[in-house]
Amino acid sequence: MMSTVELRGGRMQGFDRQDGSRAERHFSRLEEGLLRIAGICLALMMFVVVGDVIGRYVFNSPFSWSYDLIGLYLMVAVFFLTLSAGLAGHHHISVDLVRNKLPVRLRNILLGIGYLASSGMIFLICWTGVERFIEAWTKGERLASSVGFPTWVPYALVALGSGVAVIRCLQRTVEHARAAITGIEPARLMPEDTSILPDA
């Protein structure tokens, strides 16, 4: 079973992709799709930056829209569309100095509480994104620039990415609660050991 998001044979495989329920497999495909979109946005960002540099220093004619496109759209997409996949693959920052020393049940109780709290915090971000999306959409808000990019797009990205991350956090909360009750901790709930320090 894959516990991280990897590219194998041109296809990404993610959290519990093969052995999970049908709903989990569909949700993993959604995360995979968002991850691919974020990858395209990252590549586009690099092309725009390179083109802007060439235009500025070779032709003395930089792109007037590059800063807005990168800062308003591409960076937002790269960050928020990868949130859920990062959680699924345990790619978020995790301090495991104490975690590995705790009993299985206590460890999963604390992790479940942590994921539940994270669900609430990310939900607030999602809700704010939805509210701002509706406001920007209905008012037809645009940037005061030469291109006039619509401002509802980044709010939609924030709402989408954080909304999917909320679902993943809630799913992890349930999984850790189940592990705390049964005392059985599936391997998918814990990140792979990447420690470079020897055990004491």
Side-chain angles (χ1 to χ4, degrees), residues 3-196:
S3 61
T4 57
V5 177
E6 297 180 0
L7 184 63
R8 290 191 173 183
R11 182 175 180 79
M12 278 182 282
Q13 296 183 0
F15 172 88
D16 202 19
R17 181 63 176 273
Q18 296 175 344
D19 298 337
S21 65
R22 178 177 296 180
E24 171 62 35
R25 290 195 298 271
H26 287 311
F27 192 73
S28 292
R29 290 190 185 98
L30 172 61
E31 290 175 325
E32 180 181 309
L34 295 180
L35 199 61
R36 289 182 184 277
I37 294 172
I40 293 171
C41 289
L42 182 61
L44 183 58
M45 191 188 314
M46 292 187 292
F47 282 121
V48 170
V49 169
V50 171
D52 190 40
V53 170
I54 293 174
R56 180 183 301 274
Y57 294 105
V58 177
F59 302 104
N60 196 28
S61 179
F63 301 147
S64 62
W65 43 265
S66 62
Y67 181 82
D68 292 333
L69 178 66
I70 292 173
L72 188 66
Y73 288 1
L74 301 181
M75 284 291 292
V76 175
V78 168
F79 180 82
F80 281 95
L81 298 186
T82 59
L83 276 180
S84 187
L87 286 170
H90 298 283
H91 300 303
H92 54 289
I93 296 174
S94 176
V95 181
D96 57 5
L97 181 64
V98 178
R99 183 198 66 197
N100 295 338
K101 307 297 183 183
L102 296 174
V104 172
R105 283 190 165 88
L106 178 58
R107 177 169 62 232
N108 281 279
I109 288 172
L110 295 177
L111 286 170
I113 293 172
Y115 274 109
L116 183 61
S118 298
S119 302
M121 294 298 296
I122 299 174
F123 176 77
L124 293 177
I125 297 173
C126 178
W127 183 259
T128 302
V130 170
E131 287 184 326
R132 289 294 294 121
F133 163 74
I134 294 173
E135 182 180 356
W137 175 273
T138 55
K139 293 182 178 179
E141 292 180 359
R142 291 181 174 273
L143 284 184
S145 63
S146 58
V147 178
F149 289 109
T151 59
W152 63 264
V153 176
Y155 295 125
L157 293 171
V158 169
L160 174 61
S162 56
V164 174
V166 167
I167 297 173
R168 175 57 73 187
C169 282
L170 290 174
Q171 185 266 348
R172 279 287 169 82
T173 301
V174 173
E175 289 261 302
H176 282 294
R178 184 182 297 122
I181 294 171
T182 62
I184 300 173
E185 186 177 71
R188 64 177 176 269
L189 288 183
M190 303 302 291
E192 295 178 355
D193 185 11
T194 57
S195 174
I196 61 174

